[in-house]
Amino acid sequence: MSKKGLFFNSECRALIIGSTGAIGSAIVEILKNKIGSENVVTISRRKNGLDFMKPETIELRAKEQNGYFNFILDATGALEISNVGPEKSLRSLDHERMVNQFTVNAIGPAMLIKHFMKFLPRNGKAVFASLSARVGSVEDNQLGGWISYRASKAALNQIIKTASIEASRINPHSVFISIHPGTVRSKLTEQYLRNHKFVEPSEAARNILQVIEQKGSQDTGGFYAFDGKRIPY
Ligand SMILES: NC(=O)c1ccc[n+]([C@@H]2O[C@H](COP(=O)([O-])OP(=O)(O)OC[C@H]3O[C@@H](n4cnc5c(N)ncnc54)[C@H](OP(=O)(O)O)[C@@H]3O)[C@@H](O)[C@H]2O)c1
């Protein structure tokens, strides 16, 4: 198929933050094939020291970048932090645990937007996508539990929605979206998969890139699943 008209073509430059994660690294591999290795820039905690627990590292990494990125993906996130897993009940709520969850899953991505959105072009399709989670949907919450993780992902969705409005004033073709990747085999899920159906990171990565290819400015601010369907906030 001709690459003409596709968002992911040889003129697209992409920045993947959280490129060491299962989903982030699978996306990097596919993108290198689609748009060329020279057009894919990666940042992570492990390789570049971008750590949401040390907010100054976010601005430092941004200052090292040059040029533009048509596509910025935030593939970071955590369910267990410092070996502490998600809460099962209100009784186990803990101040520090909640602060950490919000720091990694909501405040960190918000700071990414603050420091990296200036690299998005002011003309044409320009995408900032963040990996969220269906459990962050308030309307879809059937089971309860995982309070901090759920709430931090709900906050992330609100941050993306709010940012999308400001970004549209700068570039009416910008697309700011949150994406639920599905249940994917990764370090984040290894303790929790049990009898759940899951996909490999490569499949999740293909799905996510297809969603990005398909979405346009009319979809900005939305929360979407790996199949492109809208998830209620
Ligand atoms: N896997 C699933 O089934 C699933 C389902 C729903 C939503 N999600 C979401 O998808 C995203 C990616 O998940 P994954 O399964 O690929 O997880 P993963 O393999 O554990 O990758 C997590 C990524 O986040 C980075 N990270 C963690 N804490 C960080 C911090 N304090 N500062 C900066 N970076 C940090 C990690 O960096 P280092 O490796 O360099 O430390 C890694 O690159 C997450 O937002 C997750 O909530 C996943």
Side-chain angles (χ1 to χ4, degrees):
M1 188 166 75
S2 156
K3 290 198 167 180
K4 207 164 165 244
L6 289 180
F7 177 59
F8 292 119
N9 60 41
S10 57
E11 280 162 32
C12 180
R13 287 196 80 225
L15 172 64
I16 311 302
I17 303 168
S19 55
T20 43
I23 301 171
S25 59
I27 285 181
V28 168
E29 282 321 301
I30 299 177
L31 271 183
K32 281 181 176 172
N33 269 322
K34 277 184 185 281
I35 67 176
S37 309
E38 69 284 6
N39 288 326
V40 183
V41 175
T42 60
I43 301 182
S44 66
R45 176 172 61 177
R46 228 178 300 166
K47 297 214 170 125
N48 313 92
L50 179 143
D51 187 345
F52 293 153
M53 296 295 193
K54 300 174 189 157
E56 68 284 0
T57 62
I58 304 169
E59 189 172 5
L60 284 173
R61 295 298 83 82
K63 282 188 171 150
E64 292 163 3
Q65 307 308 315
N66 298 304
Y68 66 92
F69 296 108
N70 313 78
F71 174 47
I72 301 178
L73 176 71
D74 160 31
T76 65
L79 181 56
E80 279 190 11
I81 300 175
S82 309
N83 294 321
V84 182
E87 317 91 350
K88 292 201 173 116
S89 68
L90 293 165
R91 247 179 318 142
S92 49
L93 275 182
D94 172 80
H95 180 88
E96 192 182 341
R97 183 201 305 235
M98 287 200 95
V99 169
N100 287 344
Q101 282 287 333
F102 274 81
T103 301
V104 174
N105 290 317
I107 302 171
M111 292 298 129
L112 289 181
I113 296 172
K114 172 178 172 168
H115 293 295
F116 286 90
M117 73 179 280
K118 58 176 169 282
F119 297 108
L120 293 170
R122 287 174 167 247
N123 297 302
K125 182 170 171 178
V127 180
F128 186 102
S130 198
L131 295 187
S132 185
R134 188 183 289 276
V135 296
S137 167
V138 174
E139 212 171 306
D140 195 56
N141 188 350
Q142 318 278 339
L143 288 174
W146 292 21
I147 298 157
S148 303
Y149 181 72
R150 277 183 193 281
S152 64
K153 290 295 194 183
L156 170 65
N157 295 341
Q158 177 67 280
I159 288 162
I160 293 287
K161 169 75 188 180
T162 305
S164 76
I165 294 168
E166 202 171 315
S168 297
R169 291 189 195 120
I170 300 168
N171 175 359
H173 302 290
S174 62
V175 185
F176 275 53
I177 54 178
S178 355
I179 301 181
H180 166 64
T183 303
V184 187
R185 189 210 294 269
S186 74
K187 193 172 125 255
L188 184 141
T189 51
E190 63 188 357
Q191 315 271 347
Y192 303 91
L193 287 176
R194 291 190 196 104
N195 300 324
H196 292 279
K197 256 182 85 183
F198 63 86
V199 298
E200 295 299 333
S202 54
E203 186 175 338
R206 280 194 300 277
N207 292 337
I208 290 163
L209 291 174
Q210 200 172 359
V211 173
I212 306 286
E213 187 69 66
Q214 286 165 356
K215 297 297 173 194
S217 53
Q218 68 282 3
D219 306 305
T220 197
F223 177 25
Y224 300 96
F226 56 91
D227 56 4
K229 291 196 182 123
R230 198 160 189 146
I231 301 175
Y233 292 118

